[in-house]
Amino acid sequence: MTITNKDNDKKPSLAIYGHDARIPELNYVCKHEEEFTVGTLKVRSLHTPSHTKGSVCYYVRDCNEMNDDIERALFTGDTLLTGGCGKFIEGDAKDMYNVLYNILGTLPKDTKVYCGHEYGMSNLQFANTIDPNNQNIRRKLAWLQSADCTVPSTIGDELECNPYLRVSELSIQNATGTLDPYEALQMLRALNDNFNVQNNGINNLNGSLGMNNCVSQFSNGANSKGNNKRAKRAQVMKKLKKYSRDS
């Protein structure tokens, strides 16, 4: 493939890959699941719209498929984060569900995840308020007290700890007040944003804002039994929609 630099012939001719044709510097637009090589590495382009329409993740592995010790890596930008995911800026919860469950979440569990932001500590603190009985989250939080950073994670770790990849779990359904996976993702995103605002980026093991305080922003303290449970869910979703419009 020959790549030319149309804008400035004084610059080296470089291949600038991406999926979003709105970026003027791109000179090669990758298709979903298109593969190419960089040196000895095989790279698969994965179109993952939700954070932005043109979001793309790159799944990278050794070209030597006969090697049993192949190291796999996934570069996710702002889409899948350690313990969380990006905001639905140009997409919605359905888009993010498709990305997380039908594309990224299906990759081998030992795939290392290199995301674009170091939000792991605060994301996992939030996850701990949502899913407080999840020992995987608590173990990872304890490990992070002495770790330099949270990147890379792995797909396996995210399936165990990341609430956005666990919306079918009873704990997440109870926390969000819904069995609908799209509504659960939308609720998680709003609660996560509120948690970040309330905590102002402070990292601590327990997090200063519990799940009850998060939910109270939307549910006015309705309890979760019988008719009150249905009333709570209705109130949560009504206020969540208002929150989304105002954000």
Side-chain angles (χ1 to χ4, degrees), residues 23-168:
I23 301 173
E25 290 79 12
L26 290 185
N27 50 28
Y28 187 80
V29 177
C30 301
K31 300 179 180 65
H32 179 56
E33 294 196 338
E34 180 178 355
E35 292 196 343
F36 53 91
T37 58
V38 178
T40 62
L41 301 176
K42 184 178 290 185
V43 183
R44 183 188 305 167
S45 169
L46 301 172
H47 184 211
T48 52
S50 182
H51 183 67
T52 63
K53 292 179 181 179
S55 174
V56 63
C57 297
Y58 294 107
Y59 177 56
V60 183
R61 62 199 188 281
D62 195 317
C63 291
N64 183 7
E65 300 287 0
M66 301 302 293
N67 184 355
D68 292 334
D69 297 322
I70 293 175
E71 188 170 4
R72 304 172 180 88
L74 178 68
F75 295 86
T76 60
D78 293 355
T79 300
L80 174 62
L81 306 173
T82 302
C85 72
K87 295 182 179 182
F88 316 150
I89 296 176
E90 293 185 337
D92 56 25
K94 289 184 179 181
D95 294 326
M96 185 61 79
Y97 182 91
N98 180 59
V99 166
L100 295 180
Y101 287 82
N102 298 327
I103 301 176
L104 303 185
T106 65
L107 295 172
K109 292 183 179 181
D110 63 351
T111 302
K112 293 182 178 180
V113 178
Y114 293 87
C115 57
H117 292 283
E118 178 53 280
Y119 296 158
M121 178 64 83
S122 59
N123 283 344
L124 289 166
Q125 288 168 357
F126 167 71
N128 191 47
T129 68
I130 292 289
D131 198 4
N133 295 320
N134 187 329
Q135 294 304 310
N136 294 312
I137 295 174
R138 298 198 67 81
R139 278 195 295 269
K140 192 156 188 175
L141 277 170
W143 170 75
L144 287 177
Q145 298 303 305
S146 59
D148 293 331
C149 66
T150 67
V151 181
S153 180
T154 66
I155 291 295
D157 280 351
E158 296 309 306
L159 291 171
E160 292 179 343
C161 299
N162 192 324
Y164 294 92
L165 279 162
R166 294 170 52 79
V167 295
S168 63

